[in-house]
Amino acid sequence: MSDERQNLYDNDEFFAGYASARENPVAMNYTVEQPGIRALLPEIEGTHAIDLGCGAGDFARWLVDEGAASVLGVDLSENMLAMAGTQPRPQIEYRRAFVEELELAAARFDLIVSSLMFHYIEDLEPVITKIRLWLRTGGALVFSIEHPITTAILGKRTGWLKDDTGKRIGWEVTDYSIEGERVSRWIVDGVVKYHRTLATTLNMLVESGFRIDRISEAYATVEGEVLDPGLLVERMRPPFLFVQAIAD
Amino acid sequence: MSDERQNLYDNDEFFAGYASARENPVAMNYTVEQPGIRALLPEIEGTHAIDLGCGAGDFARWLVDEGAASVLGVDLSENMLAMAGTQPRPQIEYRRAFVEELELAAARFDLIVSSLMFHYIEDLEPVITKIRLWLRTGGALVFSIEHPITTAILGKRTGWLKDDTGKRIGWEVTDYSIEGERVSRWIVDGVVKYHRTLATTLNMLVESGFRIDRISEAYATVEGEVLDPGLLVERMRPPFLFVQAIAD
């Protein structure tokens, strides 16, 4: 396993900050991302699934509760997998790996899910090619990424435009066509993500043998907005892009 | 034909301004939109094609030059169709119609092209459904629209963010999730367009029986940028969205 790849969740400062952020019931994870990705899932009953970037296993356990026959949870963080191990389920196997280095048998899976992980991968195309190989024909890849509108900006910590009172009034897009590394702060400094245009991501799916079946740019749930009206600003520009693609 | 629908190109003030803008060889039409849409076209040789919003017929004539067997050019403007009529071709038939009211035989066409017209249509879904019907299975719809990033903003004439010297430094996105009418100025005041999210447009294609085959967010050609370095700002955010969709 390469030591050069970013492993945020095994950085002590990051992990402490992350664990405390996740305890907040109105975190974007609960109010935007998880409802958004779950709305795109096909029938789960009886499926053999993979969760790429499974973290502490919340989503893997939910898949089992919804009837998945088996779930392979893959993550690179020992910290997160240790948390996952505290709530074992017989249907779930966890594996520590960088997805770039993961090798699995072909055509054995019905569903591959990945929440907010692909934008950490520098060279996504070979990963998408492997995912296509692991899926049976007709199987589904469902993933979320930070929306290309939000990852575009270079050299600033945020794209939020604010009025004189500090209120968020819009989102600034620059550098959209310049793909590649974006260094930002999220809990800690120096978090590295990769910006790809929407066209690059969608064309990569088609070229790798997927049919794009559904796109979503969901913002917070109404319940989330009631709990935290600050989430209303997410309607100004899509925070995430959700894709359901079918192995063709 | 409804008189209530917008018919910009038969407004005298608009038409005079438009005709003069089009004479500019570095107009966005020549440096961004036309190269972008042509890059997505399938084989043209021998095809029976429709150009929806054909204007003065430039694109229809180009399709014939590239080998199209027939082209049906559809536009709502008498002015534009009169211009088209000055350069007739035996392979081209022009028809004056609002595309919302156009009726054609099913499965007779191989290629349907539409440049920068769909964002003028309030209710696009029935139009996409008809286009699917007109195409044979395997036929292609290739279109461009103003990118949803650029049509999002409500109540301002432009999304360009400028520094103190008036230089364009970014693009402001607000109101992205609020779909519907956008009133702007382009040559004349009161031009009405309709903002739809990217998800809405792409899902509408899939639900109408299309497979999304290629997306492009092309900016100006290098030649265009050399002729007019002002076009470099188009790299900051995608001006147009180009889609190739195949009738499934």
Side-chain angles (χ1 to χ4, degrees):
Chain A
M1 187 174 288
S2 161
D3 282 334
E4 288 157 28
R5 290 212 168 93
Q6 179 171 257
N7 182 356
L8 272 178
Y9 293 79
D10 288 343
N11 165 316
D12 292 340
E13 184 191 351
F14 178 89
F15 187 70
Y18 175 79
S20 116
R22 277 291 288 268
E23 281 166 16
N24 172 8
V26 292
M28 294 272 282
N29 185 60
Y30 300 112
T31 56
V32 186
E33 200 279 330
Q34 282 292 304
I37 203 162
R38 290 178 192 191
L40 290 194
L41 292 175
E43 176 62 45
I44 296 165
E45 181 70 34
T47 56
H48 296 278
I50 307 176
D51 182 2
L52 294 174
C54 65
D58 297 12
F59 196 80
R61 287 188 297 275
W62 180 83
L63 287 170
V64 167
D65 291 343
E66 294 291 311
S70 73
V71 181
L72 175 63
V74 179
D75 208 280
L76 59 86
S77 160
E78 285 193 77
N79 280 339
M80 298 303 272
L81 291 176
M83 282 174 69
T86 64
Q87 298 181 63
R89 298 288 179 94
Q91 301 91 337
I92 306 179
E93 177 198 342
Y94 290 104
R95 193 175 302 184
R96 189 176 176 217
F98 286 97
V99 64
E100 296 93 321
E101 291 160 8
L102 186 65
E103 300 296 340
L104 296 168
R108 292 275 182 85
F109 296 90
D110 308 295
L111 172 62
I112 300 183
V113 179
S114 183
S115 275
L116 301 181
M117 190 200 67
F118 287 169
H119 51 252
Y120 292 116
I121 297 177
E122 182 168 12
D123 190 7
L124 186 60
E125 197 273 338
V127 171
I128 298 291
T129 301
K130 288 201 291 185
I131 290 172
R132 173 62 194 86
L133 192 73
W134 299 334
L135 283 171
R136 65 168 173 80
T137 298
L141 166 63
V142 178
F143 67 91
S144 61
I145 52 172
E146 293 193 0
H147 199 290
I149 293 181
T150 73
T151 55
I153 199 167
L154 260 170
K156 287 188 189 177
R157 277 177 41 182
T158 175
W160 284 115
L161 296 162
K162 295 178 182 176
D163 69 10
D164 295 342
T165 69
K167 193 180 143 206
R168 292 171 173 187
I169 54 170
W171 184 271
E172 180 175 359
V173 179
T174 69
D175 313 304
Y176 184 86
S177 68
I178 304 169
E179 299 191 304
E181 192 174 284
R182 297 294 189 271
V183 181
S184 64
R185 180 181 171 82
W186 181 48
I187 306 174
V188 293
D189 280 325
V191 175
V192 177
K193 297 173 193 165
Y194 297 91
H195 168 67
R196 277 175 280 268
T197 68
L198 178 89
T200 293
T201 298
L202 296 185
N203 291 336
M204 189 187 290
L205 289 165
V206 172
E207 286 159 13
S208 302
F210 285 98
R211 179 165 52 78
I212 294 160
D213 207 52
R214 190 151 188 93
I215 301 283
S216 159
E217 295 170 307
Y219 42 86
T221 56
V222 171
E223 295 76 8
E225 290 177 345
V226 169
L227 283 170
D228 178 6
L231 287 167
L232 284 163
V233 297
E234 302 299 334
R235 295 184 177 214
M236 287 190 186
R237 56 92 184 98
F240 304 120
L241 179 73
F242 302 92
V243 179
Q244 187 202 51
I246 305 294
D248 224 2
Chain B
M1 187 173 289
S2 161
D3 282 335
E4 288 156 28
R5 290 214 168 94
Q6 178 171 256
N7 182 355
L8 273 178
Y9 293 79
D10 288 344
N11 165 317
D12 292 342
E13 183 191 352
F14 178 90
F15 187 71
Y18 175 80
S20 120
R22 276 293 287 267
E23 283 167 13
N24 173 6
V26 291
M28 292 271 282
N29 185 61
Y30 299 113
T31 56
V32 185
E33 199 280 330
Q34 281 292 305
I37 203 162
R38 290 178 192 192
L40 290 194
L41 292 175
E43 176 63 46
I44 295 165
E45 182 71 33
T47 57
H48 296 278
I50 307 176
D51 183 1
L52 294 174
C54 66
D58 296 12
F59 196 79
R61 287 188 297 275
W62 181 83
L63 287 170
V64 167
D65 291 343
E66 295 291 311
S70 74
V71 181
L72 174 64
V74 179
D75 208 279
L76 59 85
S77 160
E78 284 192 78
N79 279 339
M80 297 304 272
L81 292 175
M83 282 175 68
T86 64
Q87 297 181 65
R89 299 288 179 93
Q91 300 91 336
I92 306 179
E93 177 199 342
Y94 290 105
R95 192 175 303 184
R96 188 176 176 219
F98 286 97
V99 64
E100 296 93 321
E101 292 159 8
L102 186 65
E103 300 295 340
L104 296 168
R108 292 276 181 84
F109 296 89
D110 309 293
L111 172 63
I112 300 182
V113 180
S114 183
S115 275
L116 299 181
M117 190 200 67
F118 287 169
H119 51 252
Y120 292 116
I121 297 178
E122 183 170 11
D123 190 8
L124 186 58
E125 197 274 337
V127 171
I128 297 293
T129 301
K130 289 201 292 187
I131 289 172
R132 173 62 193 86
L133 192 73
W134 299 335
L135 282 170
R136 65 168 173 80
T137 298
L141 166 63
V142 179
F143 67 91
S144 61
I145 52 173
E146 294 192 1
H147 199 289
I149 294 182
T150 73
T151 55
I153 199 166
L154 260 169
K156 287 190 188 176
R157 277 175 43 179
T158 175
W160 284 116
L161 296 161
K162 295 178 181 175
D163 69 11
D164 295 342
T165 69
K167 191 180 146 206
R168 293 171 173 187
I169 55 170
W171 183 269
E172 181 175 358
V173 178
T174 70
D175 313 303
Y176 184 86
S177 67
I178 305 169
E179 301 192 302
E181 192 175 282
R182 297 293 190 270
V183 182
S184 65
R185 180 181 170 82
W186 180 47
I187 306 174
V188 294
D189 279 325
V191 175
V192 176
K193 297 173 194 166
Y194 296 91
H195 169 66
R196 276 175 282 267
T197 68
L198 177 90
T200 293
T201 298
L202 296 184
N203 291 337
M204 188 187 292
L205 289 165
V206 172
E207 286 158 14
S208 303
F210 284 99
R211 181 166 51 79
I212 294 160
D213 207 53
R214 194 154 185 89
I215 302 284
S216 159
E217 295 171 306
Y219 41 85
T221 57
V222 171
E223 295 77 7
E225 290 178 342
V226 169
L227 283 169
D228 178 6
L231 286 166
L232 284 164
V233 297
E234 302 299 335
R235 294 184 178 216
M236 287 191 188
R237 57 91 185 97
F240 305 119
L241 178 73
F242 303 91
V243 179
Q244 187 201 54
I246 304 296
D248 224 3

